[in-house]
Amino acid sequence: MIVCHCTQITDTEIRAAIDWMRSADPETIITPGKIYHALGKRADCGGCMPLFLDTMRSSDNLGVPANLRGLRTRNKGTVHEGRRKGYRIPERSAAV
Ligand code: FES
């Protein structure tokens, strides 16, 4: 079944790309963009994305590797790289 009409990608190709990526790198995070790239194509209109994602989810090999699950909650309490609270110059000088 054709999933993406702009690029003529089928559900079989999507599942094959997922299987290939998972066998090449068991720890990879598989995204629609990586699948397009693996198939040598680029998304055009994006209208297929809901069906594309449903097809991806139906694959047995899509899951996030166990060692990469829960990273956000596992790293709670550590300093993140986000913006500091006192990012404005007046706040910085007041804090010093
Ligand atoms: S239908 Fe897939 S990009 Fe247009």
Side-chain angles (χ1 to χ4, degrees), residues 4 8 17 22 26 29 32 40 43 61 64:
C4 178
Q8 304 296 309
R22 184 61 69 207
I29 302 291
N61 278 332
V64 176

Side-chain angles (χ1 to χ4, degrees), residues 22 26-30 60-71:
R22 184 61 69 207
E27 295 187 349
T28 190
I29 302 291
I30 299 171
D60 295 334
N61 278 332
L62 183 66
V64 176
N67 59 336
L68 298 178
R69 289 185 198 144
L71 288 178

Side-chain angles (χ1 to χ4, degrees), residues 2-9 36 42-49 52:
I2 291 180
V3 174
C4 178
H5 289 275
C6 293
T7 58
Q8 304 296 309
I9 293 176
Y36 274 105
R42 293 178 70 176
D44 189 12
C45 70
C48 60
M49 209 42 64
F52 200 99

Side-chain angles (χ1 to χ4, degrees), residues 78-84:
T78 60
V79 177
H80 61 82
E81 297 175 9
R83 183 186 291 170
R84 291 177 292 181

Side-chain angles (χ1 to χ4, degrees), residues 5-55:
H5 289 275
C6 293
T7 58
Q8 304 296 309
I9 293 176
T10 65
D11 59 335
T12 307
E13 291 174 318
I14 292 171
R15 289 193 188 94
I18 290 171
D19 293 344
W20 174 76
M21 281 190 263
R22 184 61 69 207
S23 63
D25 182 4
E27 295 187 349
T28 190
I29 302 291
I30 299 171
T31 63
K34 285 183 177 179
I35 292 174
Y36 274 105
H37 188 75
L39 296 173
K41 299 179 178 180
R42 293 178 70 176
D44 189 12
C45 70
C48 60
M49 209 42 64
L51 182 57
F52 200 99
L53 291 171
D54 284 346
T55 305

